[in-house]
Amino acid sequence: MGPAIGGDGQASARSRMALSNVRTGLAPDAIAVALIENLHCLQGKRPRDATPNDWYMALAYTVRDRMMERYVATVGSIAEETTDVKAVAYLSAEFLTGPHLGNGLISLGIWDAVEEALSRVGQDLSGLLEQEEEPGLGNGGLGRLAACYMDSLARLNVPAIGYGIRYEFGIFDQSIRDGWQVEVTDKWLRFGNPWEMVRSEIAFDVKFGGRTEPYHNAAGRYCVRWLPEKVIKGVAYDTPIPGYRVPTTNLLRLWKAEAVESFDFEAFNVGDYYRAVDEKVLSETISKVLYPNDEPESGKQLRLAQQYFFVSCSLQDMVRLLLMRGKPLDELHSYWAAQLNDTHPSIAVAELMRLLVDEHAMEWDQAWAITQQTCAYTNHTLLPEALERWPLPLFARLLPRHLDIIYEINRRFLDELRLRCPNEEQLLRRLSLIDEAGDKYVRMAHLASLGSHAINGVAVLHSELLKRTVLRDFHLVSPEKFLNVTNGVTPRRWIALSNPKLCTLITRHIGDRWLANLEDELRRLEPLADELEFQRDWQAVKVDNKRVLARLIKDRTGVIVDPHSLFDVQAKRLHEYKRQHLNVLYLVTLYNRLRHAGGAVTPRTVIFSGKAAPAYRMAKLIIKLVNSVAAVVNRDPVVSQALKVVFLPDFNVKNGQRIYPAADLSEQISTAGKEASGTGNMKFAMNGAITIGTLDGANIEIRDAVGQENFFLFGLSAAEVELLKAEGYTPRSIYESNPELREAIDLIRSGFFSNGDRELFHPLVDSLLTYDEYMLLADYQAYVDCQERVSNAYSDPNAWTRMSILNTARVGHFSSDRSIREYCRHIWKVTPIVSDERES
Ligand SMILES: *Cc1c(COP(=O)(O)O)cnc(C)c1O
């Protein structure tokens, strides 16, 4: 079966093969043949015996085969002597890619051909897409950002490797039992992973623990050697990342930890088989599981070990590729730009110094210059508790040589500063890489800032606040390093793949160039915003998407919701600063109003989705509160006519692809100054949801882009939050003076939603009335009033649809292609390997 390969002239064979080759052919015939062959050769199944997963695997390999030619060419440009390109190494502890299959079909432009081929073999694409278990190798926004950036790097023909960890268990699956979150192990590799290729030959040793020892080498140079207690091997697993309709296919290279020796033979020989295996188990724990927190886990040695493990493998790999290309090590920064996605990979600064100075005998000053020119750091947070730092004793135990190096970096930095700013010992103490007030810590944000030539925040407000808060002193001494790159999301996944009907409608009106060029093309929808027929089509797409989500809601929760009600959605990690409980306070208020008065209202379906860190008790209590309020509201025969409340379990990329396209209203209600950027806000707006939000993160820029009349703004600004805090904020006085707020809080406190249990929600109510750290009560009335404006606006469908269209039409700026262009120009100084059609 299948066409013969080879035989006659290579060139003509290749062109004949192009359409029909079983490995590369893009026509339905070739794809159908490939499916059956893969089913036979890889799964060992006849069509009539194949399970849905067999068919999924056969299809996945069929699609992967069609990426390989471009993949090999792109990898060649990073690894071969003949090329001079500078490549990007995106270092991130998390990559939340989502399922690969659908995205691959869109990038390769073979969606229709695959549908056709599948129908010929009696299969259905949508069912097979459902089969794919997503790699949950991230917690939320940060990991998802890394995935969007990989997509855009490829689309823009910038050669890049995403470096991270191949966690055996990703973010837990969330289920809800009795209203509470239950965590279930994410066994994503259970049925195999057809997208990865193990590179057993690409493996590096990573040392841990032990001690250091000075010596003089043959040339009489002072050197230090590291005598580790333990060595672990990192093995590369590569996943191709195809660019949308371009020749570039990049790679995600994730490291798996393995024991250097499978057995300790000495232990084995004396019969201690279990100790020998124990060693292997210890090594493999490093890449076993993703930490399920949005914030760093303080003092967890394994977490630091994970970070060092993947950073060391990645830098060794970058050096290997450079030398393979025949380039000298002192030109590392001319061929590699390394981006640190938050402080998780910031040990890269010390590790690169160690590799250059200890392993490659480079002089310190030169190594330091190369390190700074290679690295750049993206900060993702303003929450002081989320700034990573490691207790000094722990750090010294695990990475003794790196502590030496950090001390030396610090000594030189502070000496230089003393000359520049004499009599500023306070400033020096604040800038030091070591926190010496009380217990000592290594400050990772300081290491990242000092070791990088560029430091960026992720939205305009965030970048400004960075300079005034957590990195104020670094800004004082190196203002030239600071810049902003506002986050973006890829329209390929977040419009084309997740909202195909909207995609078709848009393409019908403005052609198909917009997906590759959102910034310039999408605004051509604007003139259509007032056309009644276009509005009708737009509404029809939205209602269809809401029907799909309603079905998912019914399947997962049993709740029946009306696709014609206003779909009001808050989907994101559970966190007090994101204020899901402010949304709940409004719902309880609405419930009270509906009970007391009844009358005409705008029917709403309020949908929550999001995971809480397993140890974050308040976040878990908020989930319980949502579910408790939902139970009461949904079973009230009168109120449930106008209001339904749903908690949709297990928010992940796959569910997000159903949620964002079905939203009418996007809840972006964090306390101003707390959300660095947000990217969910961008996905909602691209899909035509209108935002109700505070002046926080990228909301500000989204509002500027879509127009203030197309955005529901409420609440205190970041400056007003600061001011109110400084003046002395007393939430209880707001509670006492606002009757509706008091009624809502009292109802929760009374046990009304908890079968009479008055204790259950006490910690939540108590924290609101005494500290209210995130100022819910201060923003409560403004939020409730703003929701009234939302309800009124929704009752005029044409005006609402106009706003919806303008939101989509005007958010082209929030494409991750725009973000990546900015990184390329202002930070990485890299240019595409293929000239960008946009510029030509
Ligand atoms: C986009 C996304 C996020 C980030 O959402 P925010 O609203 O910006 O916090 C988190 N998780 C998943 C699965 C996402 O797709």
Side-chain angles (χ1 to χ4, degrees):
M1 190 183 292
I5 297 173
D8 45 21
Q10 282 270 315
S12 68
R14 280 182 78 83
S15 67
R16 199 153 27 75
M17 272 156 47
L19 272 175
S20 63
N21 184 287
V22 74
R23 295 280 189 168
T24 56
L26 302 180
D29 284 344
I31 293 171
V33 171
L35 280 167
I36 302 298
E37 284 208 353
N38 281 339
L39 202 58
H40 177 78
C41 297
L42 301 172
Q43 300 301 110
K45 289 283 182 81
R46 294 173 297 191
R48 66 167 187 261
D49 305 322
T51 65
N53 193 60
D54 289 328
W55 281 110
Y56 162 72
M57 295 293 273
L59 176 56
Y61 284 115
T62 301
V63 173
R64 199 187 83 177
D65 282 346
R66 282 149 180 80
M67 298 175 180
M68 285 301 106
E69 193 159 336
R70 295 172 191 190
Y71 171 85
V72 167
T74 306
V75 171
S77 74
I78 305 177
E80 280 164 14
E81 213 162 327
T82 47
T83 66
D84 267 342
V85 299
K86 184 173 184 181
V88 174
Y90 198 84
L91 271 60
S92 179
E94 305 187 5
F95 287 92
L96 194 54
T97 59
H100 294 292
L101 175 56
N103 195 244
L105 299 180
I106 286 177
S107 292
L108 296 173
I110 57 172
W111 189 283
D112 293 342
V114 163
E115 263 191 331
E116 167 68 26
L118 282 168
S119 76
R120 287 186 201 175
V121 298
Q123 294 295 310
D124 158 55
L125 177 57
S126 62
L128 297 187
L129 288 167
E130 276 308 303
Q131 279 296 313
E132 183 170 353
E133 182 141 17
E134 71 176 81
L137 308 187
N139 273 285
L142 175 142
R144 186 52 236 174
L145 184 76
C148 283
Y149 283 178
M150 290 309 295
D151 182 85
S152 286
L153 280 160
R155 143 69 191 120
L156 294 171
N157 292 304
V158 176
I161 301 181
Y163 281 114
I165 301 173
R166 182 182 177 275
Y167 300 104
E168 184 177 340
F169 303 115
I171 187 68
F172 61 86
D173 296 332
Q174 178 194 56
S175 64
I176 300 294
R177 213 174 294 155
D178 189 29
W180 294 98
Q181 166 174 300
V182 176
E183 298 95 21
V184 181
T185 311
D186 165 51
K187 298 182 183 161
W188 71 288
L189 291 166
R190 181 168 34 179
F191 301 116
N193 174 7
W195 302 101
E196 69 184 8
M197 294 169 282
V198 55
R199 304 290 188 203
S200 307
E201 77 284 11
I202 303 178
F204 297 98
D205 285 350
V206 181
K207 303 178 223 177
F208 289 98
R211 59 189 175 84
T212 60
E213 183 183 87
Y215 69 101
H216 286 85
N217 70 3
R221 177 179 180 265
Y222 173 86
C223 301
V224 177
R225 73 165 69 89
W226 178 9
L227 303 162
E229 180 197 327
K230 190 172 178 59
V231 179
I232 288 165
K233 189 166 79 166
V235 179
Y237 283 68
D238 290 355
T239 301
I241 305 290
Y244 176 72
R245 316 269 161 107
V246 292
T248 301
T249 291
N250 281 324
L251 71 152
L252 185 57
R253 178 160 284 170
L254 304 180
W255 303 100
K256 176 179 192 278
E258 288 186 359
V260 168
E261 296 294 341
S262 283
F263 295 106
D264 172 344
F265 281 98
E266 202 179 327
F268 192 58
N269 286 338
V270 298
D272 191 355
Y273 173 80
Y274 287 97
R275 203 190 88 198
V277 177
D278 212 35
E279 181 76 4
K280 185 169 150 78
V281 170
L282 266 181
S283 313
E284 289 172 357
T285 50
I286 289 203
S287 58
K288 202 76 172 174
V289 59
L290 167 77
Y291 278 90
N293 291 335
D294 252 355
E295 288 170 21
E297 192 119 13
S298 64
K300 284 283 190 293
Q301 173 162 304
L302 181 58
R303 169 88 176 169
L304 179 58
Q306 286 185 337
Q307 295 181 354
Y308 177 61
F309 165 74
F310 96 86
V311 163
S312 178
C313 290
S314 307
L315 289 171
Q316 291 186 67
D317 192 44
M318 289 159 64
V319 168
R320 177 187 68 95
L321 287 164
L322 183 80
L323 301 179
M324 257 173 71
R325 281 213 266 174
K327 311 295 182 193
L329 202 53
D330 59 12
E331 289 179 23
L332 181 79
H333 55 286
S334 307
Y335 295 97
W336 278 115
Q339 191 65 32
L340 313 180
N341 193 23
D342 209 331
T343 51
H344 315 149
S346 58
I347 190 66
V349 172
E351 173 67 356
L352 186 51
M353 287 300 288
R354 188 189 70 81
L355 289 172
L356 297 177
V357 172
D358 290 1
E359 311 242 323
H360 294 273
M362 193 182 280
E363 291 306 317
W364 182 280
D365 288 327
Q366 187 180 22
W368 183 240
I370 291 170
T371 297
Q372 279 189 317
Q373 288 174 74
T374 304
C375 296
Y377 160 51
T378 303
N379 174 289
H380 283 271
T381 186
L382 293 164
L383 304 178
E385 68 271 23
L387 285 178
E388 234 175 357
R389 45 181 211 161
W390 294 106
L392 202 79
L394 182 158
F395 198 99
R397 229 182 305 123
L398 199 69
L399 301 172
R401 178 58 184 143
H402 296 78
L403 190 59
D404 288 350
I405 290 172
I406 286 170
Y407 275 135
E408 182 61 16
I409 295 171
N410 203 34
R411 186 187 66 75
R412 288 168 181 246
F413 172 53
L414 296 179
D415 281 354
E416 187 191 302
L417 272 177
R418 256 181 216 107
L419 293 177
R420 266 179 67 191
C421 338
N423 310 317
E424 290 272 17
E425 282 305 312
Q426 283 294 344
L427 174 68
L428 266 56
R429 247 196 299 282
R430 293 199 306 270
L431 278 166
S432 172
L433 302 188
I434 311 293
D435 181 347
E436 303 199 66
D439 290 340
K440 293 186 182 178
Y441 293 92
V442 183
R443 294 163 160 162
M444 301 312 273
H446 291 208
L447 181 62
S449 299
L450 187 56
S452 295
H453 67 278
I455 302 168
N456 76 286
V458 290
V460 171
L461 174 71
H462 172 236
S463 294
E464 283 311 307
L465 292 175
L466 263 189
K467 295 191 268 186
R468 287 199 270 124
T469 60
V470 287
L471 295 180
R472 182 197 168 98
D473 297 318
F474 275 94
H475 181 250
L476 206 66
V477 298
S478 315
E480 74 289 349
K481 284 189 182 181
F482 284 75
L483 74 169
N484 171 251
V485 182
T486 298
N487 283 168
V489 300
T490 171
R492 271 76 65 181
R493 183 173 294 272
W494 296 114
I495 305 178
L497 179 59
S498 52
N499 201 343
K501 296 189 191 87
L502 191 72
C503 185
T504 305
L505 176 62
I506 294 173
T507 298
R508 195 157 79 225
H509 289 270
I510 64 171
D512 63 0
R513 287 170 50 90
W514 60 276
L515 267 174
N517 192 1
L518 217 65
E519 304 108 285
D520 299 336
E521 300 277 330
L522 208 49
R523 58 178 73 258
R524 292 170 51 212
L525 288 174
E526 273 192 42
L528 299 166
D530 290 306
E531 284 186 15
L532 285 179
E533 198 185 319
F534 186 73
Q535 288 187 357
R536 248 196 319 274
D537 291 344
W538 192 270
Q539 287 163 356
V541 167
K542 183 61 84 181
V543 172
D544 272 350
N545 293 337
K546 288 162 77 172
R547 281 202 190 93
V548 172
L549 183 60
R551 252 193 312 276
L552 189 71
I553 288 171
K554 166 121 190 310
D555 285 352
R556 303 278 165 88
T557 71
V559 180
I560 294 170
V561 302
D562 176 6
H564 292 283
S565 61
L566 188 167
F567 273 26
D568 170 351
V569 186
Q570 188 166 19
K572 48 182 76 247
R573 285 299 287 246
L574 256 291
H575 209 295
E576 285 163 283
Y577 85 79
K578 292 179 184 274
R579 301 202 293 192
Q580 281 91 353
H581 47 337
L582 176 59
N583 193 339
V584 176
L585 284 180
Y586 166 67
L587 294 182
V588 175
T589 302
L590 192 57
Y591 174 72
N592 285 332
R593 286 185 183 177
L594 290 168
R595 283 198 303 167
H596 300 328
V601 284
T602 303
R604 276 192 198 233
T605 300
V606 182
I607 299 161
F608 293 84
S609 199
K611 294 173 184 175
Y616 190 170
R617 298 182 58 175
M618 194 65 89
K620 290 179 134 177
L621 191 57
I622 294 172
I623 292 178
K624 174 65 176 170
L625 178 63
V626 170
N627 282 308
S628 303
V629 170
V632 170
V633 166
N634 296 347
R635 89 164 95 81
D636 185 308
V638 179
V639 174
S640 66
Q641 300 294 309
L643 178 64
K644 283 270 173 73
V645 181
V646 175
F647 189 94
L648 184 62
D650 206 29
F651 183 52
N652 55 19
V653 174
K654 220 168 159 180
N655 288 331
Q657 288 174 198
R658 295 279 165 274
I659 293 172
Y660 295 115
D664 294 306
L665 186 67
S666 156
E667 298 273 351
Q668 307 300 336
I669 60 176
S670 52
T671 316
K674 299 293 182 190
E675 186 75 89
S677 164
T679 49
N681 46 7
M682 301 167 187
K683 299 175 219 167
F684 278 111
M686 273 185 193
N687 285 280
I690 297 154
T691 306
I692 180 168
T694 49
L695 287 175
D696 200 15
N699 293 355
I700 298 173
E701 292 154 78
I702 292 173
R703 178 167 170 267
D704 288 343
V706 303
Q708 56 177 43
E709 67 285 6
N710 302 309
F711 186 108
F712 294 100
L713 177 70
F714 75 95
L716 300 175
S717 67
E720 288 165 343
V721 165
E722 278 310 301
L723 201 64
L724 186 51
K725 280 243 164 94
E727 283 171 354
Y729 171 55
T730 53
R732 193 175 290 272
S733 62
I734 301 176
Y735 162 81
E736 276 159 7
S737 63
N738 187 324
E740 269 199 318
L741 171 62
R742 200 167 60 226
E743 190 186 359
I745 288 182
D746 288 349
L747 196 63
I748 294 170
R749 193 152 55 167
S750 73
F752 183 83
F753 298 107
S754 42
N755 301 314
D757 184 345
R758 293 159 170 269
E759 293 305 309
L760 183 60
F761 297 119
H762 180 81
L764 215 161
V765 170
D766 191 52
S767 110
L768 290 182
L769 293 180
T770 52
Y771 309 102
D772 191 18
E773 159 127 36
Y774 298 105
M775 302 198 141
L776 280 73
L777 303 203
D779 277 341
Y780 166 82
Q781 194 59 51
Y783 181 56
V784 170
D785 293 344
C786 193
Q787 288 286 20
E788 280 304 295
R789 288 192 277 131
V790 169
S791 288
N792 292 333
Y794 193 73
S795 66
D796 180 346
N798 292 71
W800 183 276
T801 304
R802 184 177 182 279
M803 288 200 286
S804 170
I805 296 167
L806 289 177
N807 263 267
T808 301
R810 294 175 175 174
V811 293
H813 179 71
F814 301 95
S815 163
S816 43
D817 295 352
R818 187 270 312 150
S819 311
I820 288 298
R821 282 198 181 92
E822 291 179 8
Y823 278 99
C824 287
R825 284 202 190 118
H826 304 305
I827 298 179
W828 303 330
K829 317 284 187 212
V830 303
T831 46
I833 34 177
V834 181
S835 77
D836 189 343
E837 65 184 66
R838 183 165 182 261
E839 264 95 24
S840 64

